[in-house]
Amino acid sequence: MNDGLIPRRYAKALYKYALEKKVDKRIYMLTANLVDAFASQHGLLTAVANPFVSVADKTKLLMAAAGADEKSDSVFTDFLTLLAQNGRIEFIRDIALAYRDIYRQANNIRRVTVTSAEPLAAPEEERLKSLIEKHLDGASMEYEARTNPDLIGGFTIEINNEKLDASVANELKQLRLKLITN
């Protein structure tokens, strides 16, 4: 069976159940925490995939990584238990990613990442956010600002899979390509 299909099916089921229990936003926050934990703690994926680590320990580890409380986050706890019972706990990272995508789509949320050569001044950043919001046609956004000195100047804007590159590095690259082709 396709590895992408399994996480997507579990994520859909989790979303429907969380929506029914009116905790879909909380689960979204927990899955975001979990994805961040997997990105920053490289040993987490190894521990979850390790057959010598008990299911109980894996569940506790994932609860802690997500910032979940065993009593108030019973939907998440029950879901981890279900994954463990079905032998699918190793898919939790991909399930969390799929859940975030499903939640964003259902709630009309766009991921926006602005990367600049150096941090933008507050008025510039607010103006840029305002322009982006107009482009989103009523969708809400999750905004993230990054810096990358390799851009030399200017910025890039990524909205989901759409990218606008207004960086000096890109301009130089385009100029170089024109010179080579002429």
Side-chain angles (χ1 to χ4, degrees):
M1 188 173 243
N2 183 351
D3 284 349
L5 188 60
I6 293 169
R8 184 96 179 139
R9 284 186 177 169
Y10 275 95
K12 276 184 181 178
L14 175 59
Y15 180 73
K16 286 180 182 178
Y17 185 61
L19 196 59
E20 180 183 300
K21 296 292 185 178
K22 296 180 176 34
V23 294
D24 53 313
K25 187 174 184 176
R26 175 66 180 160
I27 298 296
Y28 177 69
M29 292 170 35
L30 294 175
T31 56
N33 292 345
L34 198 55
V35 168
D36 291 344
F38 275 110
S40 63
Q41 304 295 323
H42 302 291
L44 184 57
L45 192 57
T46 306
V48 171
N50 188 335
F52 296 108
V53 176
S54 72
V55 172
D57 287 342
K58 289 177 185 180
T59 302
K60 286 179 190 174
L61 184 62
L62 292 169
M63 291 288 288
D69 177 48
E70 198 169 323
K71 292 181 182 177
S72 61
D73 294 317
S74 61
V75 169
F76 190 71
T77 306
D78 293 346
F79 182 71
L80 290 177
T81 303
L82 174 73
L83 289 178
Q85 289 171 346
N86 292 346
R88 302 289 194 198
I89 199 106
E90 71 274 2
F91 289 103
I92 188 62
R93 179 185 165 275
D94 294 332
I95 293 168
L97 288 166
Y99 182 91
R100 288 187 348 163
D101 289 343
I102 292 166
Y103 183 88
R104 285 177 179 145
Q105 185 176 3
N107 291 282
N108 201 18
I109 299 170
R110 305 288 183 267
R111 281 186 351 262
V112 176
T113 305
V114 174
T115 307
S116 57
E118 53 187 53
L120 296 172
E124 291 173 336
E125 190 167 25
E126 289 306 315
R127 183 168 174 260
L128 193 56
K129 279 183 185 179
S130 175
L131 290 170
I132 293 168
E133 283 176 346
K134 288 178 187 172
H135 176 73
L136 296 179
D137 294 326
S140 59
M141 71 172 160
E142 289 180 354
Y143 180 86
E144 180 182 3
R146 296 180 181 169
T147 57
N148 179 357
D150 293 340
L151 295 179
I152 303 170
F155 56 88
T156 64
I157 300 173
E158 293 177 57
I159 302 172
N160 290 347
N161 294 327
E162 207 179 316
K163 185 173 183 176
L164 167 73
D165 193 338
S167 67
V168 172
N170 185 52
E171 293 296 321
L172 290 171
K173 179 181 171 186
Q174 296 303 320
L175 182 61
R176 192 173 328 127
L177 288 173
K178 280 183 183 178
L179 291 172
I180 291 172
T181 58
N182 289 333

